[in-house]
């Protein structure tokens, strides 16, 4: 249940980022295909954040401390760009148009995910 809720939270956060920023886009011929695209991209994003982000964070820990944690935003933006690259390789229609867009998008995704976790804490901690 916890994994499913994280997938939904990621999908909603990605949808909000795409809605707010012109440089983040996903497509589909119908509402159902757009939802499926969002769920697939959310799964890719979740895997990237579960596997690659911890490695990047550990390797850059001295610089994270030096920048007082601001490098985390750069790492999050790079994870979003990596998600876009992987999606492109899998022919999933999701794009991020550059580092600046990815940086703002990562900030939006972080805020939306945090807000949803505040609103849905019981659902995420039941397992």
């Amino acid at each position: 249940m916890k994994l499913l809720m994280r997938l939904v939270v990621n999908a909603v956060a990605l949808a909000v980022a795409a809605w707010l920023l012109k440089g983040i886009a996903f497509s589909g011929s119908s509402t159902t295909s757009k939802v499926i695209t969002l769920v697939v991209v959310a799964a890719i994003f979740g895997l990237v954040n579960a596997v690659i982000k911890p490695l990047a964070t550990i390797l850059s820990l001295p610089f994270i401390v030096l920048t007082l944690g601001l490098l985390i935003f750069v790492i999050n933006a790079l994870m979003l760009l990596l998600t876009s690259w992987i999606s492109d390789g899998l022919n999933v229609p999701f794009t991020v148009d550059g580092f600046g867009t990815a940086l703002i998008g990562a900030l939006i995704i972080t805020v939306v995910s945090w807000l949803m976790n505040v609103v849905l804490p019981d659902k995420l901690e039941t397992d």
Side-chain angles (χ1 to χ4, degrees):
M1 183 67 175
K2 185 176 180 179
L3 185 62
L4 182 62
M5 287 302 295
R6 288 190 189 273
L7 186 66
V8 169
V9 167
N10 276 341
V12 170
L14 286 163
V16 170
W19 180 61
L20 290 174
L21 298 173
K22 289 185 180 183
I24 297 177
F26 64 95
S27 61
S29 58
S30 66
T31 304
T32 304
S33 65
K34 287 180 182 179
V35 169
I36 291 170
T37 299
L38 269 176
V39 170
V40 170
V41 171
I44 294 168
F45 188 63
L47 283 173
V48 165
N49 279 331
V51 176
I52 297 176
K53 185 179 177 183
L55 294 172
T57 303
I58 288 171
L59 291 174
S60 61
L61 194 58
F63 299 107
I64 292 171
V65 171
L66 188 65
T67 62
L68 302 175
L70 292 177
L71 188 62
I72 291 291
F73 292 115
V74 173
I75 292 172
N76 288 342
L78 292 173
M79 296 305 110
L80 189 58
L81 284 172
L82 182 59
T83 299
S84 175
W85 181 74
I86 292 170
S87 297
D88 185 47
L90 296 174
N91 292 324
V92 178
F94 176 75
T95 57
V96 179
D97 290 341
F99 182 75
T101 302
L103 191 63
I104 296 169
L107 183 61
I108 292 169
I109 291 168
T110 301
V111 170
V112 171
S113 296
W114 175 77
L115 285 173
M116 288 188 71
N117 286 327
V118 167
V119 171
L120 304 170
D122 296 333
K123 300 293 183 193
L124 293 176
E125 296 177 15
T126 56
D127 290 350

